[in-house]
Amino acid sequence: STDQRRPKMRIPKALRTAIRTRLMTDTRPLTTKQITESVNPVVTKSNQRTSREMAFVLKQMAREGDLIIAKETKNGLTPSGNERSRVEYVLNFETVDPDIVEESQ
């Protein structure tokens, strides 16, 4: 029998850091597209991701506890009949080193 579980994807440290930095500077929940557009210019070519690829990276980071899903909006069905949703992410501040985070208010 074949194992159907996905292997754990290793997220490059530079990409993970860029995503966390972006979410730290913006307090609003961000969509995958917004995160992708702001992270791609600051990471190396090999770490750049399309919005679709970034969605997988963000889901993985949410599973690991780095991110929190702030808002999930259902928006129709995929051609295969699965429900589609738009997800917005925020940083999970419990996992961030408190020395790095500074209050911006």
Side-chain angles (χ1 to χ4, degrees), residues 22-23 26 28-32 34-35 38 87-90:
R22 174 65 180 117
L23 287 168
D26 203 327
R28 298 170 303 148
L30 298 174
T31 63
T32 301
Q34 292 167 317
I35 294 170
S38 60
V87 182
E88 293 183 5
Y89 296 93
V90 290

Side-chain angles (χ1 to χ4, degrees), residues 38-78:
S38 60
V39 167
N40 275 345
V42 297
V43 294
T44 59
K45 195 96 175 120
S46 63
N47 286 332
Q48 289 179 6
R49 302 285 186 270
T50 64
S51 288
R52 196 176 178 106
E53 292 167 333
M54 189 66 82
F56 286 100
V57 171
L58 296 171
K59 273 186 197 169
Q60 176 74 32
M61 287 180 71
R63 271 197 301 272
E64 292 171 5
D66 286 342
L67 305 179
I68 299 173
I69 294 174
K71 192 169 109 190
E72 189 167 357
T73 315
K74 303 287 180 228
N75 63 347
L77 297 173
T78 61

Side-chain angles (χ1 to χ4, degrees), residues 8-41:
K8 193 169 180 186
M9 178 178 65
R10 200 182 91 45
I11 303 167
K13 196 168 187 119
L15 182 61
R16 185 185 296 266
T17 307
I19 292 168
R20 291 179 75 150
T21 305
R22 174 65 180 117
L23 287 168
M24 215 179 285
T25 54
D26 203 327
T27 53
R28 298 170 303 148
L30 298 174
T31 63
T32 301
K33 184 174 173 35
Q34 292 167 317
I35 294 170
T36 305
E37 288 171 351
S38 60
V39 167
N40 275 345

Side-chain angles (χ1 to χ4, degrees), residues 52 76-84:
R52 196 176 178 106
L77 297 173
T78 61
S80 60
N82 295 331
E83 210 166 52
R84 199 172 56 199

